[in-house]
Amino acid sequence: MTAESTNETADGAIDAEPITEGIGRGEVLRSPVPISFYGAVEPDTGEFIEDGHPLEGENIAGKVLVFPRGKGSTVGSYVLYGLANNGCAPAAIVNEETETIVATGAILGEIPCLDSPEVALETLEDDETVEVDADAGEIRRQ
């Protein structure tokens, strides 16, 4: 694919809107549906525990977590913060639209977070390694 067909820059970077600061690198773990961190993720381990969710049984620790948007309780912000304090947070978060709950949790937990990437989330494939540079507003394939 050419950079033009994927909306990637000439150097292969994907532009996105920064929500927080920082740089995170890891393997992509993508959910096709929204995530509610409260009751969905075990804050002591990073294991996804929501019954029936596509990520059930996965661990988000150190991953670049890619999902459309958050949903649910404001306590989800504190779950993200708890994950960070326990060393189990995602390396970075990429959303189509980062709503307040996820943004607050990413800020509190100092988790690099971007939204509105110039490519469809589906182009970021599970297990591919990417670097999320929230300072520059870019996702770089490794």
Side-chain angles (χ1 to χ4, degrees):
M1 283 192 218
T2 66
E4 184 177 299
S5 68
T6 63
N7 289 325
E8 293 181 27
T9 63
D11 64 357
I14 301 165
D15 288 331
E17 295 296 320
I19 301 300
T20 63
E21 299 175 336
I23 298 172
R25 182 176 187 273
E27 292 180 353
V28 169
L29 180 61
R30 185 171 51 84
S31 170
V33 299
I35 293 175
S36 170
F37 288 91
Y38 179 62
V41 180
E42 173 54 54
D44 293 329
T45 65
E47 183 181 352
F48 211 93
I49 57 174
E50 181 181 343
D51 288 336
H53 192 281
L55 297 184
E56 182 182 1
E58 297 285 346
N59 195 299
I60 66 171
K63 303 286 185 171
V64 173
L65 190 58
V66 177
F67 58 103
R69 68 196 50 76
K71 66 175 185 173
S73 172
T74 56
V75 177
S77 298
Y78 295 102
V79 173
L80 277 168
Y81 178 63
L83 286 162
N85 282 338
N86 293 329
C88 300
I93 294 173
V94 177
N95 298 132
E96 285 175 358
E97 177 186 358
T98 306
E99 45 53 69
T100 307
I101 294 166
V102 173
T104 301
I107 291 166
L108 290 171
E110 299 180 354
I111 302 166
C113 182
L114 295 174
D115 83 352
S116 304
E118 293 190 348
V119 299
L121 293 184
E122 295 78 23
T123 65
L124 298 170
E125 298 182 21
D126 280 337
D127 300 323
E128 111 175 82
T129 301
V130 298
E131 181 177 78
V132 173
D133 185 341
D135 298 328
E138 293 183 339
I139 303 163
R140 298 184 199 101
R141 299 177 191 276
Q142 302 293 292

